[in-house]
């Protein structure tokens, strides 16, 4: 049981350590809107990559929901090749979450690009980031290994406990047998060689059985 507690303590410590690393501060610094051939590029300048959910309730409306990031004291809005942006609003609905509302003609046809200081630019908001998927798979695999290992330890401990119970019962039976023998001293000192040989065989078999249960 102690081994299981040690294993789970290690797992909890590992997960919290990893979570603290992932929880390093990440700030949004700039939002750049630039016209392209088919619509807009929405470029988000941040410290590092983060999860982005892209929503387009209407053709002229774009909502970006960012997780694991905060707004810096001043977020600069930059416009390149366009001046037809009707509105740009930044909200902070919760800690480490940002919601960006952009209103413009055909803004729904946009490509969202995250441009982190720590990392390479990448298109986001189209699918779940691969690093998150790999992280989840790693944690699930680690938990599965820990559970399997803990189950193996439990089964071994149960086998040992069963062997100890068998050993204790057989010791009691052996003591009772020797006590019964002592009640009839003629059995201990009988001149019948065959009876003495039988008693010795019984003693030897009991000894062998007790030794095998100890292993």
């Amino acid at each position: 049981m102690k081994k299981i507690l040690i294993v789970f303590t290690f797992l909890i410590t590992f997960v919290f350590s990893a979570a603290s690393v992932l929880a390093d501060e990440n700030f949004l610094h700039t939002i750049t809107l630039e016209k392209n051939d088919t619509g807009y590029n929405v470029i988000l300048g941040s410290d590092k990559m983060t999860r982005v959910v892209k929503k387009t309730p209407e053709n002229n409306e774009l909502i970006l929901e960012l997780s694991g990031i905060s707004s810096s004291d001043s977020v600069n809005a930059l416009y390149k090749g366009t001046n037809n942006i009707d509105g740009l609003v930044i909200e902070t609905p919760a800690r480490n979450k940002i919601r960006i509302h952009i209103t413009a003609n055909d803004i729904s046809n946009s490509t969202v690009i995250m441009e982190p200081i720590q990392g390479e630019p990448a298109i986001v908001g189209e699918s779940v980031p691969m690093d998150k998927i790999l992280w989840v798979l790693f944690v699930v695999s680690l938990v599965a290994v820990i559970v399997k290992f803990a189950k193996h330890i439990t089964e071994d401990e149960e086998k040992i406990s069963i062997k100890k119970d068998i050993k204790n019962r057989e010791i009691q039976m052996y003591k009772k047998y020797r006590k019964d023998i002592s009640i009839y001293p003629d059995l201990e000192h009988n001149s019948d060689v065959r009876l003495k040989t039988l008693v010795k065989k019984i003693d030897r078999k009991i000894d062998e059985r007790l030794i095998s249960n100890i292993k």
Side-chain angles (χ1 to χ4, degrees), residues 199-215:
V199 171
K200 289 181 179 180
K201 285 184 177 180
I202 292 173
D203 285 343
R204 185 169 63 254
K205 289 294 182 181
I206 292 176
D207 289 339
E208 291 175 355
R209 178 63 177 168
L210 292 177
I211 293 173
S212 66
N213 283 330
I214 294 174
K215 294 181 180 180

Side-chain angles (χ1 to χ4, degrees), residues 4-197:
I4 297 176
L5 292 176
I6 293 172
V7 170
F8 275 101
T9 300
F10 167 77
L11 176 61
I12 293 171
T13 303
F14 173 80
V15 171
F16 275 100
S17 299
S20 64
V21 172
L22 294 175
D24 289 343
E25 289 186 327
N26 185 18
F27 291 102
L28 177 68
H29 300 287
T30 61
I31 301 174
T32 303
L33 299 172
E34 65 178 14
K35 199 75 174 65
N36 58 28
D37 295 336
T38 58
Y40 295 87
N41 290 330
V42 181
I43 304 172
L44 307 175
S46 62
D47 292 318
K48 56 185 180 180
M49 294 293 293
T50 191
R51 181 172 180 268
V52 179
V53 176
K54 177 183 175 182
K55 298 179 180 180
T56 53
E58 298 180 5
N59 189 47
N60 295 338
E61 183 179 3
L62 174 66
I63 300 175
L64 301 177
E65 295 181 349
L66 287 67
S67 302
I69 190 170
S70 302
S71 176
S72 63
D73 294 335
S74 60
V75 179
N76 296 322
L78 307 175
Y79 304 95
K80 294 183 179 181
T82 181
N83 54 5
N84 297 323
I85 305 299
D86 298 325
L88 192 158
V89 178
I90 301 174
E91 298 178 346
T92 54
R95 179 179 175 81
N96 292 328
K97 288 184 180 292
I98 297 176
R99 184 181 294 123
I100 302 172
H101 294 261
I102 304 175
T103 306
N105 187 37
D106 293 329
I107 192 66
S108 61
N109 189 19
S110 298
T111 300
V112 182
I113 302 172
M114 181 69 71
E115 196 173 60
I117 298 174
Q118 304 174 22
E120 298 294 328
I123 297 175
V124 296
E126 307 300 330
S127 60
V128 180
M130 182 56 67
D131 60 338
K132 300 295 183 182
I133 295 175
L134 293 176
W135 171 250
V136 171
L137 291 175
F138 171 74
V139 172
V140 171
S141 300
L142 181 62
V143 171
V145 171
I146 295 298
V147 170
K148 184 177 181 181
F149 181 66
K151 182 180 179 182
H152 180 71
I153 292 176
T154 302
E155 290 176 349
D156 287 346
E157 290 181 347
E158 288 177 352
K159 290 179 181 178
I160 293 173
S161 178
I162 291 172
K163 283 189 174 183
K164 287 182 178 178
D165 290 340
I166 293 175
K167 176 190 171 186
N168 290 334
R169 286 199 302 269
E170 292 193 351
I171 288 175
Q172 294 301 320
M173 291 175 62
Y174 179 71
K175 288 180 178 179
K176 184 176 182 302
Y177 153 75
R178 295 302 301 175
K179 182 179 179 181
D180 291 343
I181 289 294
S182 64
I183 294 174
Y184 304 100
D186 289 343
L187 292 178
E188 291 285 358
H189 307 287
N190 198 295
S191 58
D192 192 335
V193 176
R194 287 180 298 176
L195 182 59
K196 288 184 178 181
T197 303

